[in-house]
């Protein structure tokens, strides 16, 4: 069947702030009223695969550490979602319409996807910095378990 690939687990508290332990969900931004991005406003995970790692294969960047090569990266990242939800679908929609705005239905799935994603951005703004958070809080970096949900990433905001 179809698997849900959205980071839509309700926010139960931010682990980095000691508000929750265990399965705390994804917390979008700083405002309690908008921290749980449900349904169509939740971002997609990136880099999904049927296999997480293969036995006996080690990451050759640091072979002495014997860490496996991994492919799955369950992070809902701003830059990746901009491509997935905005640029790709809207480009396809533009081509399908023959470059004629009047031929685009307001109910086109590509347009709905883009608008739903765009509506999620205000909750991810990082105060008055002009930047947006890299990903929801309670998102961790690989085996180091470093919380990256409070970071503003120029690379991902610009991509």
């Amino acid at each position: 069947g179809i698997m849900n690939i959205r980071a839509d687990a309700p926010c139960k508290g931010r682990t980095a702030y000691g508000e929750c332990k265990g399965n705390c969900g994804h917390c979008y931004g700083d405002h309690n009223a908008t921290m749980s991005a449900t349904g169509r406003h939740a971002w997609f995970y990136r880099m999904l695969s049927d296999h997480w790692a293969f036995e006996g294969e080690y990451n050759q960047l640091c072979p002495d550490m014997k860490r496996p090569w991994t492919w799955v990266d369950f992070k809902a990242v701003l830059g990746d979602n901009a491509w997935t939800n905005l640029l790709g679908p809207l480009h396809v929609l533009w081509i399908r319409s023959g470059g004629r705005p009047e031929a685009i239905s307001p109910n086109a799935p590509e347009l709905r996807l883009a608008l739903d994603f765009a509506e999620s951005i205000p909750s991810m703004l990082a105060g008055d910095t002009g930047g947006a958070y890299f990903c929801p809080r309670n998102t961790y970096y690989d085996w180091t378990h470093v919380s990256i949900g409070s970071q503003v990433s120029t690379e991902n905001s610009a991509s």
Side-chain angles (χ1 to χ4, degrees):
I2 296 175
M3 181 179 161
N4 178 13
I5 59 169
R6 289 188 183 262
D8 60 358
C11 176
K12 298 175 188 167
R14 298 165 294 183
T15 56
Y17 293 94
E19 298 169 350
C20 181
K21 291 182 179 173
N23 187 4
C24 299
H26 297 285
C27 301
Y28 288 79
D30 297 321
H31 306 286
N32 288 334
T34 59
M35 275 193 193
S36 290
T38 57
R40 300 181 333 250
H41 297 109
W43 293 0
F44 291 113
Y45 291 117
R46 68 178 186 180
M47 295 172 53
L48 301 174
S49 172
D50 290 345
H51 301 282
W52 183 75
F54 290 105
E55 280 186 50
E57 296 292 324
Y58 296 107
N59 186 329
Q60 295 304 305
L61 298 173
C62 300
D64 296 340
M65 298 182 85
K66 301 285 187 205
R67 290 190 176 136
W69 281 108
T70 58
W71 290 271
V72 178
D73 183 30
F74 290 102
K75 292 183 190 73
V77 176
L78 174 61
D80 299 54
N81 272 270
W83 284 99
T84 304
N85 291 299
L86 288 174
L87 301 174
L90 290 179
H91 189 76
V92 168
L93 180 60
W94 186 254
I95 291 170
R96 278 191 351 179
S97 73
R100 298 182 342 254
E102 67 277 2
I104 297 174
S105 165
N107 295 317
E110 300 91 342
L111 183 58
R112 294 299 330 144
L113 182 64
L115 291 173
D116 289 341
F117 174 69
E119 290 171 12
S120 74
I121 300 298
S123 67
M124 293 296 282
L125 296 179
D128 59 2
T129 66
Y133 290 117
F134 169 62
C135 54
R137 288 196 171 86
N138 298 338
T139 301
Y140 291 90
Y141 183 72
D142 296 327
W143 55 84
T144 61
H145 207 64
V146 172
S147 177
I148 58 175
S150 296
Q151 295 179 358
V152 175
S153 167
T154 302
E155 174 192 357
N156 281 278
S157 293
S159 68

